[in-house]
Amino acid sequence: MAEISAPTMARKTRGVPRSKKLSTRVDLTPMVDLGFLLITFFIYSTELHKPTVMPLHLPADSAPTPAGASSVITLLLDKNNSIYYYEGADPATGKSVDQHSIRTILLDKKRRTNPTWFEVIIKPSKNATFGNTVNILDEMKIDNIHHYVLTDPTPYESEILRAKR
């Protein structure tokens, strides 16, 4: 058999003897724990944005209160932010306005009417957007109008809206 033989002469190194290299590995487990603790702290300590909502007060179940036709204004909401409004009971006497000029009309009607009996009827058509309805409800809040009703338009009012387009 063949044997492997080591050289008999040992090498001598010159100069400074080399030291063993130590491991520079750092354990990051505590740092990860600290990160998760900070994330948890900030999640629990921050206040989330709460949506702003307008309270909608519904009437109690009772007999309807009669209101005079002269104290009522009806708003028919249509597409393209157009509003057809009329005072009283006859929709044929109404006018079309845009959403920006409805405030002056509402405030004028409110000024001319007894505040106890003043009422606004809001009737969004099928073509009105949700934003139009929200804008009119905001207008009720801005103009300090407390008595308003949100309902569907009658077939006659829908026909008038189609004719006015």
Side-chain angles (χ1 to χ4, degrees):
M1 273 211 281
E3 291 185 14
I4 300 175
S5 61
T8 58
M9 295 169 75
R11 280 186 171 182
K12 286 191 175 183
T13 58
R14 291 191 214 178
V16 183
R18 290 189 173 190
S19 64
K20 291 184 177 180
K21 290 200 175 196
L22 298 175
S23 174
T24 58
R25 186 166 184 238
V26 177
D27 187 20
L28 293 178
T29 305
M31 186 68 72
V32 172
D33 289 344
L34 180 66
F36 279 114
L37 285 173
L38 284 173
I39 290 171
T40 305
F41 170 75
F42 286 122
I43 286 175
Y44 286 130
S45 65
T46 58
E47 184 176 325
L48 298 177
H49 174 70
K50 295 177 183 169
T52 308
V53 295
M54 185 174 73
L56 186 61
H57 302 286
L58 300 176
D61 289 336
S62 63
T65 307
S70 63
S71 63
V72 175
I73 184 169
T74 304
L75 307 176
L76 299 171
L77 307 179
D78 203 12
K79 64 181 177 180
N80 299 329
N81 294 334
S82 66
I83 300 171
Y84 181 80
Y85 76 96
Y86 63 92
E87 298 181 24
D90 188 15
T93 61
K95 299 176 185 173
S96 291
V97 293
D98 62 346
Q99 201 160 12
H100 300 292
S101 58
I102 196 66
R103 181 176 296 168
T104 57
I105 294 165
L106 288 173
L107 291 176
D108 181 51
K109 178 68 175 177
K110 184 179 176 183
R111 182 183 49 80
R112 293 184 285 122
T113 308
N114 182 356
T116 308
W117 298 106
F118 178 62
E119 190 169 320
V120 178
I121 301 173
I122 304 167
K123 297 184 177 185
S125 69
K126 291 181 181 180
N127 297 323
T129 62
F130 181 73
N132 294 353
T133 307
V134 169
N135 289 341
I136 289 297
L137 291 175
D138 287 342
E139 195 66 41
M140 298 297 118
K141 186 75 170 176
I142 292 168
D143 297 342
N144 204 18
I145 298 173
H146 301 292
H147 300 284
Y148 55 89
V149 177
L150 189 63
T151 185
D152 293 328
T154 63
Y156 180 60
E157 290 168 335
S158 297
E159 190 62 39
I160 289 176
L161 280 178
R162 276 193 288 277
K164 295 289 181 182
R165 283 187 203 145

